[in-house]
Amino acid sequence: MDQYVVFGNPIGHSKSPLIQGLFAEQTGQDMAYSTLLAPLDDFSNCALGFFKVGRGANVTVPFKEQALQLCDSLTPRARRAGAVNTLSKLADDTLQGDNTDGAGLVRDLTVNAGLALGGKRILILGAGGAVRGVLEPILALRPQSLVIANRTVEKAERLAQEFAELGPVAASGFAWLQEPVDLIINATAASLAGELPPIADSLVEPGRTVCYDMMYGKEPTPFCRWASELGAAQVLDGLGMLVEQAAEAFHGWRGVRPQSAPVLAELRRQLAAS
Ligand code: ATR
């Protein structure tokens, strides 16, 4: 049976085995998928050891940049993201790195939430690895503008410069923004600390602005609560992105696109019951 894993540290709470297991069952693919706790100081030997037999892997925190170094080849989107979340053993026994995070987010926004983002004003909060991974596919939707706002403004400026050739992208501090936008994506780690980036309430136009938090939890995140209180048109968390990036990886490995909706519903049910 073909072997797959997700590498991370910690990895115990990963939902990837559940998601990929449901995809395999749904599509009748004969494969095994489990977690693999990689040592913090020895990811590469751990990964190379697994790939003596393994066919593919997902990679999560904190190994996505190290995974990129390990690959014999990269997809263009992984190179642009500067990080790899999906590894595949190719027919010639070489290791290919891909990044499905951006495609997962865009699919959740456009297919699941039904948003048309062409010509729209988009604001992304944060300028870390999670943002770098999604800028290219978001700019490919041809928004009117994409502003990256970050606590450390220089990091937002560097990202904006790097991606400027791909579309109308600008950098900002949180406090400088006042005008309402069509979509706000929270990609900061603030929710982990139970915090909210200090942005103006006026950014949300009731009934029009859509708010998306890449984080998720049993309870709504502080950002999702803030957006709901202000009357955002839609308030979405990152569980859909998690399932969609997994579906994109599964498609790359097995050549079959699984249905994500029933898997997302099952995850949502389990999260509510946890
Ligand atoms: P990731 O891979 O999840 O993007 P990261 O690269 O460490 O993780 O980036 C974390 C992001 O969350 C950064 O944009 C960080 O802001 P700084 O660049 O100023 O550090 C942001 N962040 C973390 N905690 C935050 C908080 N409490 N409020 C606002 N932004 C926060």
Side-chain angles (χ1 to χ4, degrees):
M1 193 188 293
D2 292 343
Q3 304 288 322
Y4 295 83
V5 294
V6 54
F7 294 107
N9 190 329
I11 197 62
H13 290 105
S14 171
K15 298 192 190 311
S16 294
L18 170 65
I19 297 170
Q20 299 290 353
L22 290 169
F23 287 160
E25 194 182 299
Q26 184 197 96
T27 56
Q29 293 286 309
D30 192 21
M31 59 188 278
Y33 187 109
S34 55
T35 57
L36 212 167
L37 179 74
L40 285 173
D41 58 357
D42 204 17
F43 168 73
S44 64
N45 277 324
C46 179
L48 292 173
F50 166 73
F51 274 107
K52 287 183 181 151
V53 293
R55 304 277 309 157
N58 286 124
V59 183
T60 187
V61 181
F63 300 124
K64 290 185 185 184
E65 284 83 17
Q66 286 180 56
L68 182 126
Q69 304 299 328
L70 204 67
C71 295
D72 300 304
S73 63
L74 295 172
T75 60
R77 62 189 183 182
R79 185 171 297 114
R80 183 62 92 171
V84 157
N85 79 332
T86 303
L87 294 164
S88 300
K89 188 79 165 280
L90 301 184
D92 63 0
D93 258 8
T94 61
L95 202 56
Q96 185 194 53
D98 190 11
N99 191 312
T100 65
D101 286 332
L105 172 67
V106 163
R107 200 174 166 90
D108 197 33
L109 288 168
T110 58
V111 179
N112 299 346
L115 301 176
L117 294 174
K120 297 289 170 62
R121 284 167 302 168
I122 302 177
L123 169 62
I124 297 195
L125 309 175
V131 173
R132 175 183 293 277
V134 303
L135 286 177
E136 182 178 32
I138 290 181
L139 285 167
L141 298 171
R142 300 194 157 274
Q144 182 192 108
S145 61
L146 175 57
V147 175
I148 305 168
N150 198 43
R151 185 171 61 180
T152 314
V153 182
E154 298 76 45
K155 277 170 71 180
E157 281 167 352
R158 278 203 294 277
L159 270 188
Q161 272 167 19
E162 195 180 322
F163 284 83
E165 66 194 39
L166 300 183
V169 54
S172 176
F174 291 134
W176 313 345
L177 302 164
Q178 303 293 329
E179 294 294 309
V181 295
D182 298 297
L183 171 66
I184 308 176
I185 299 169
N186 181 27
T188 70
S191 294
L192 287 178
E195 291 171 2
L196 183 68
I199 52 171
D201 291 355
S202 57
L203 290 168
V204 174
E205 185 176 325
R208 164 142 175 245
T209 305
V210 175
C211 292
Y212 192 104
D213 199 338
M214 283 198 199
M215 299 270 166
Y216 61 85
K218 181 172 158 59
E219 305 298 336
T221 66
F223 175 78
C224 287
R225 279 205 305 276
W226 170 81
S228 297
E229 281 161 17
L230 292 172
Q234 282 193 74
V235 180
L236 305 159
D237 71 10
L239 204 60
M241 176 179 174
L242 178 75
V243 174
E244 294 298 349
Q245 63 78 29
E248 188 78 10
F250 185 93
H251 180 243
W253 292 326
R254 311 301 297 185
V256 188
R257 185 168 280 287
Q259 281 186 5
S260 52
V263 175
L264 180 55
E266 173 60 19
L267 245 70
R268 193 69 76 191
R269 195 190 60 73
Q270 290 199 14
L271 196 61
S274 66

